Amino acid sequence: MATHSEIRDFWEHRLEQDWTESGVGYRALGRPFNTWMYRVREEVFLREAGRVGAGGASVLDVGSGTGFYVRQWQRLGAGDITGCDVTDAAVARLRQRFPDHRFVRQDAADLDAFDQDSFSALSCMDVLFHITDDERYAGAVAEFARVLRPGGALVISENFLRRPEQRGEHQVNRTLEEITGILGKAGFDLVRRVPMLVLMNAQVDAPTPWRKAWGGVLRAATVTPATGWLAGAALYPLERRLVRMCRESPTTELLVCRLRD
């Protein structure tokens, strides 16, 4: 398994080369498909994060990447937005793209640039499953609790497996039980968990035959930018319905928590 330094170097190089939706998303499916995928993510995030009382909130976005969720907090009327990322490549570009907001290079497991009780809301989207070290994972959640004010909202995306965890060099898909246990130990109460995507992403929590078959379909459908755009456009209206209808998903889900008073 890659070390923390190797993982940071991996993301530094990746975002330096591709600071787009595909750079931070499912890269194998190409940018056109990822653009459609992120339209679904946007809708789910705005719906769920909008319920936490974002208007005027002081927000920290951890792992800001391209600033996609920074922009969503702007749309929700957050009063003060701070972002951080583990890579210099992202931070430098974020400062140019959002000159009215503060961005610093910080690792999710070590937010020492921020004081205790600094924020009323915190988002960490598609980041935690890239923390392959279990101690650092728990440390990141503890840091979220430290910098959030009592009663503050935590919005994260994760894979929440109901099957055994899956470990790779740059990603660990942990179980729902393990993740919720870590959150509870850090002082968070779960509010709601909803699908972020259903079909437009790797089926990490599905039976192996379906996971492999659907993964093959997606890769074949996105072999060129043109076919990737068409595949995304075709799946988009169905995906919008599925994320509202389904209670759970075989892929990424969004979780909202509150820090106990």
Side-chain angles (χ1 to χ4, degrees), residues 9-251:
D9 290 344
F10 168 82
W11 285 105
E12 190 77 61
H13 176 74
R14 178 161 165 169
L15 293 185
E16 192 171 37
Q17 298 296 317
D18 184 9
W19 197 57
T20 68
E21 291 88 348
S22 62
V24 295
Y26 194 164
R27 194 174 191 180
L29 302 185
R31 185 177 180 184
F33 186 87
N34 272 275
T35 299
W36 283 105
M37 180 200 298
Y38 268 82
R39 290 180 65 178
V40 181
R41 291 177 180 273
E42 174 184 309
E43 183 172 324
V44 175
F45 184 86
L46 288 173
R47 183 185 73 223
E48 298 301 327
R51 295 177 178 177
V52 307
S58 175
V59 173
L60 174 63
D61 182 56
V62 176
S64 293
T66 63
F68 181 84
Y69 295 102
V70 171
R71 196 174 301 282
Q72 308 319 314
W73 283 118
Q74 284 182 321
R75 295 177 63 186
L76 290 170
D80 177 57
I81 304 173
T82 301
C84 66
D85 196 273
V86 73
T87 68
D88 290 317
V91 170
R93 292 170 179 174
L94 286 163
R95 288 171 177 168
Q96 294 179 347
R97 178 171 286 181
F98 302 98
D100 294 333
H101 304 310
R102 178 191 179 201
F103 295 95
V104 297
R105 188 171 72 79
Q106 288 275 271
D107 182 85
D110 186 12
L111 301 175
D112 59 1
F114 311 116
D115 294 333
Q116 183 172 337
D117 301 344
S118 292
F119 304 97
S120 53
L122 187 152
S123 55
C124 185
M125 308 300 294
D126 296 339
V127 171
L128 288 171
F129 46 67
H130 290 300
I131 302 178
T132 57
D133 182 274
D134 292 338
E135 289 187 9
R136 294 191 69 83
Y137 188 101
V141 174
E143 281 289 87
F144 299 167
R146 182 184 67 82
V147 301
L148 271 173
R149 297 167 191 151
L154 173 65
V155 184
I156 66 171
S157 61
E158 254 286 11
N159 288 320
F160 301 110
L161 299 191
R162 270 70 74 184
R163 57 192 289 122
E165 73 172 19
Q166 303 161 359
R167 289 187 171 265
E169 185 178 8
H170 296 290
Q171 182 166 324
V172 174
N173 298 318
R174 296 174 173 86
T175 66
L176 172 64
E177 181 180 13
E178 180 180 3
I179 296 168
T180 54
I182 292 170
L183 289 163
K185 185 176 180 180
F188 288 103
D189 291 324
L190 281 60
V191 177
R192 59 187 170 275
R193 176 171 53 88
V194 300
M196 191 97 182
L197 296 162
V198 178
L199 292 176
M200 296 182 77
N201 203 7
Q203 306 287 284
V204 294
D205 202 25
T208 300
W210 169 252
R211 186 168 71 248
K212 291 184 176 181
W214 185 246
V217 168
L218 286 181
R219 288 189 292 274
T222 58
V223 69
T224 70
T227 59
W229 190 94
L230 289 171
L235 281 173
Y236 173 69
L238 174 61
E239 191 79 330
R240 290 185 69 208
R241 295 190 190 96
L242 290 174
V243 294
R244 288 182 174 274
M245 292 170 51
C246 298
R247 297 187 63 182
E248 293 187 327
S249 167
T251 184

